[in-house]
Amino acid sequence: MRRLLIVDDEAIITDGLAEIFGGLGLPGLEICKAYSGGEALDWLNSTRIDIVLSDIRMPELDGLELLEVIRRGWPRCRVIFLTGYNDFDSVYKAIQAWGVRYLLKTEGYAKVIAEVKEVLRELDEGHRTEVLLQQAREQRNTLETLAQGNYFRHLLLGTENRSPERLLEDFRKLNIPLEPANRILLILGSLVHAAPCSSYADRQEAALAAKLLGDAYFQEKTNCVGLVDRYGDLLWMLQPASGAAGDGDPFEGIVRFLEGTLELVQEACLESLGMETAFTICSTPFTWEALPSAYDRLRQMQHHRAGDGSSMVMTIQANPLDMTGQSQEGLRAEKLEPLAGLLEAGRRDEFLESLSDLSESVLSDPACEAIQVMELYYSVSLMLLSYVNRRQLGDRISAIELMRFEGHVSWQEAFLYLARTADHLFSLRRTGESSRAKSVIEGICSYVEEHIAEDLSIVRLAARFHFNPAYLSRLFKQGSGQNLSDYIEEARIRQAKRLLVSGERRVHEVGARVGYESPHSFTRFFKKATGMTPQEFRESHREAAT
């Protein structure tokens, strides 16, 4: 998804351009509007913008001042200035910056459309991930990456010394670009619908490629280290790069950058690697001492998501006081670790296949003794019981039955029972995801009805419900069978009809009540939906009543 922000202090120009680009049906282009430089700042501070089409002369905040903000917050954003004949001094300053173009207002809409399409083409070409992957590979030595990954996997288990002195020494030896004295942010990523991989090496290679893509994007404004964790998921530890966020708390500007940039990482992974991804950002900075607990908390929060998580970017907050203790993650037997990872990741088919292979390898061994079978049974049972307790499913799964090895008529029946129990857990997980998705959709519908006069753009709704716009749109469509934008339009039409029928307000007041400050825009919107202007609708209703 690409976002075009149109900025002009003359509403008729802003609305006209938005209508023209909306009518072109350019795939994956979302159009945002701002009627002043201040409103443009609100957009830039709340979400990623890819192209800004702006008047260069505006009161309050002109185009050049806006350009400075864009360069600090979104380095990849392209800018097209609309200028008059007397603006060449400003234009000369603007075009010295990378990614800036200008058009004369007298050149007409066709030229503006052509310029925006050209910028979109350039963005798509620049998005080709082979170049990014090659740059990332050149920046990181393979052995160094592996060494850093192994080191942080030990840190996540809480078994390593995390004192600032020890971390400083380790970071120096391993060439880790992070500061032990500074706080960190975490991003957890999952490969949701990866193409089937034939081997462990294939899965690791796919995850590593996704990690390298993330590294290439994040390094624009952060210092970061990424790794593939013990569950095959992606984890990044990040700190703001020097001067990345300007004055004030350096972490505040980084979270919005990460939310927007992760959408680009998702598009790159899908286009280049054929993988869908989901990401969860912990926006609370914390100390290295809290790393294991924060990591466990992040994994838990990613599990409690709405829907299946495909293309999701979710931002969570955590109380730093809750992340100061030791990690609750215990060391598992090496042979059960992959199985636990599949259960945690919700990979039903792979889990059941792995459990079948593991049990078959024990049961088919003539030298296997009963005590070894019991050991495997209770190890898997405890793993399932731990999952049940963490997900608070004790009312759905009987712990007593789960721990009764002797209650089964045969060893084979005992492991079939474990497989059925695991399958039930996966079904409960899918049901929970669907239920949370339904709750989110109901919340969106209620919010739309209660705030019908306000800005209900997908970007604003996504910020309100803490999802990225693309995921929120898809979640709503899957759960309701209707596009979110269509639902909003229908809600506005319903409310407009009620207000017009009541006759208590003028037409332009009705338009403002349903989110249209411009009477012309409201009339055009209403006629497109009903075939009549608002005034014609009101008069026809009066005639019918008499």
Side-chain angles (χ1 to χ4, degrees):
M1 176 183 289
R2 299 288 184 188
R3 294 194 187 96
L4 167 66
L5 174 61
I6 302 172
V7 189
D8 200 298
D9 58 327
E10 295 185 39
I12 190 170
I13 295 178
T14 304
D15 292 339
L17 287 169
E19 183 176 3
I20 287 172
F21 281 105
L24 293 176
L26 298 175
L29 181 66
E30 182 175 357
I31 300 163
C32 311
K33 298 186 292 184
Y35 299 99
S36 68
E39 285 190 40
L41 284 183
D42 291 339
W43 280 105
L44 292 163
N45 290 331
S46 63
T47 191
R48 188 195 83 247
I49 298 295
D50 301 292
I51 307 173
V52 173
L53 177 61
S54 173
D55 188 0
I56 203 167
R57 287 187 182 272
M58 294 181 291
E60 181 184 312
L61 187 76
D62 67 22
L64 293 180
E65 292 171 315
L66 188 62
L67 179 61
E68 291 299 317
V69 175
I70 293 170
R71 284 292 165 261
R72 288 198 302 269
W74 303 105
R76 291 175 177 266
C77 182
R78 304 298 183 89
V79 179
I80 303 173
F81 282 127
L82 299 175
T83 71
Y85 282 109
N86 298 324
D87 293 332
F88 283 112
D89 289 340
S90 298
V91 169
Y92 180 79
K93 295 177 182 177
I95 62 176
Q96 306 305 308
W98 175 88
V100 176
R101 300 169 179 235
Y102 77 95
L103 293 171
L104 291 173
K105 291 182 177 180
T106 56
E107 292 186 84
Y109 286 133
K111 182 65 174 178
V112 175
I113 293 170
E115 202 72 17
V116 170
K117 286 183 175 180
E118 176 63 15
V119 171
L120 287 170
R121 185 190 64 78
E122 291 179 2
L123 286 171
D124 288 339
E125 287 184 356
H127 198 50
R128 300 292 181 258
T129 54
E130 276 303 316
V131 175
L132 294 175
L133 285 171
Q134 184 59 35
Q135 290 174 346
R137 291 191 184 102
E138 291 173 356
Q139 294 168 3
R140 293 289 182 87
N141 179 277
T142 302
L143 293 178
E144 181 179 273
T145 300
L146 292 175
Q148 291 177 357
N150 288 334
Y151 172 74
F152 280 109
R153 277 187 284 272
H154 283 290
L155 279 186
L156 292 172
L157 290 174
T159 58
E160 288 292 316
N161 184 340
R162 283 164 282 146
S163 68
E165 297 78 13
R166 181 61 180 271
L167 290 175
L168 184 62
E169 180 181 357
D170 291 341
F171 286 11
R172 180 182 58 80
K173 290 181 178 179
L174 294 171
N175 197 26
I176 293 171
L178 300 173
E179 300 177 10
N182 196 5
R183 297 171 298 166
I184 52 175
L185 296 176
L186 284 187
I187 296 176
L188 182 65
S190 298
L191 310 182
V192 180
H193 293 303
C197 297
S198 59
S199 68
Y200 170 82
D202 291 334
R203 293 192 297 272
Q204 288 295 103
E205 183 179 359
L208 181 60
K211 185 201 84 70
L212 292 172
L213 278 171
D215 290 349
Y217 278 102
F218 298 149
Q219 286 168 0
E220 292 181 346
K221 291 191 66 174
T222 73
N223 297 322
C224 69
V225 169
L227 61 103
V228 181
D229 72 8
R230 60 206 300 251
Y231 301 110
D233 289 333
L234 306 171
L235 180 71
W236 284 275
M237 285 151 282
L238 309 99
Q239 295 173 339
S242 177
D247 298 330
D249 186 353
F251 288 93
E252 289 183 0
I254 292 299
V255 173
R256 288 289 177 241
F257 167 77
L258 294 176
E259 289 174 341
T261 300
L262 283 170
E263 293 182 15
L264 297 178
V265 175
Q266 287 174 329
E267 293 174 6
C269 286
L270 186 61
E271 178 183 341
S272 221
L273 307 174
M275 297 185 297
E276 291 191 21
T277 51
F279 295 101
T280 303
I281 306 168
C282 181
S283 63
T284 307
F286 53 88
T287 64
W288 288 96
E289 182 68 21
L291 176 61
S293 297
Y295 169 65
D296 288 347
R297 176 66 171 159
L298 191 58
R299 289 199 63 83
Q300 181 182 14
M301 291 299 293
Q302 177 150 295
H303 174 83
H304 290 290
R305 64 195 181 203
D308 62 6
S310 301
S311 302
M312 177 191 74
V313 177
M314 181 169 65
T315 302
I316 67 166
Q317 293 180 332
N319 187 343
L321 296 177
D322 295 336
M323 302 190 299
T324 55
Q326 292 294 323
S327 171
Q328 307 252 331
E329 181 78 2
L331 290 171
R332 297 184 176 91
E334 183 178 351
K335 63 183 179 181
L336 289 176
E337 237 182 274
L339 199 62
L342 294 172
L343 177 64
E344 185 74 21
R347 299 172 183 169
R348 174 188 175 277
D349 294 341
E350 294 173 72
F351 177 93
L352 295 178
E353 182 180 355
S354 297
L355 177 60
S356 176
D357 292 342
L358 187 58
S359 59
E360 185 65 23
S361 66
V362 173
L363 297 177
S364 62
D365 185 0
C368 180
E369 298 180 0
I371 190 67
Q372 294 172 305
V373 178
M374 290 178 62
E375 178 188 2
L376 176 59
Y377 177 90
Y378 282 117
S379 295
V380 176
S381 296
L382 286 171
M383 179 182 67
L384 296 176
L385 182 59
S386 175
Y387 183 93
V388 167
N389 290 337
R390 283 183 283 116
R391 308 306 177 208
Q392 300 180 346
L393 298 172
D395 58 334
R396 305 291 188 91
I397 302 293
S398 171
I400 295 175
E401 291 296 322
L402 196 58
M403 302 307 293
R404 285 185 59 201
F405 175 74
E406 69 284 356
H408 301 285
V409 297
S410 67
W411 292 354
Q412 288 80 3
E413 176 58 29
F415 284 99
L416 285 175
Y417 167 76
L418 291 180
R420 290 195 298 270
T421 301
D423 192 37
H424 185 42
L425 289 174
F426 286 115
S427 296
L428 291 174
R429 177 179 180 140
R430 290 192 296 271
T431 301
E433 292 172 347
S434 177
S435 176
R436 287 188 288 273
K438 181 180 179 181
S439 178
V440 169
I441 291 169
E442 290 174 352
I444 293 171
C445 293
S446 297
Y447 185 87
V448 168
E449 298 291 343
E450 294 169 6
H451 300 80
I452 199 69
E454 300 175 12
D455 178 9
L456 294 176
S457 65
I458 293 177
V459 170
R460 291 287 167 85
L461 289 173
R464 169 65 177 78
F465 289 91
H466 310 294
F467 295 104
N468 62 316
Y471 183 72
L472 188 69
S473 297
R474 193 172 67 85
L475 181 67
F476 191 93
K477 179 64 179 291
Q478 286 182 340
S480 68
Q482 183 180 25
N483 289 326
L484 178 53
S485 57
D486 292 340
Y487 176 83
I488 294 170
E489 286 190 4
E490 290 178 6
R492 283 181 161 146
I493 285 293
R494 288 195 300 271
Q495 180 67 357
K497 286 181 176 179
R498 285 194 291 267
L499 294 173
L500 289 168
V501 168
S502 70
E504 297 175 0
R505 294 179 177 84
R506 297 179 179 180
V507 169
H508 74 272
E509 293 174 333
V510 172
R513 281 297 187 109
V514 297
Y516 286 86
E517 294 297 332
S518 167
H520 178 68
S521 297
F522 172 57
T523 298
R524 187 169 58 248
F525 157 77
F526 192 92
K527 185 172 184 179
K528 180 180 178 182
T530 66
M532 294 184 285
T533 67
Q535 188 61 40
E536 289 171 347
F537 175 84
R538 171 174 279 174
E539 291 173 357
S540 67
H541 188 272
R542 287 173 179 170
E543 292 173 1
T546 58

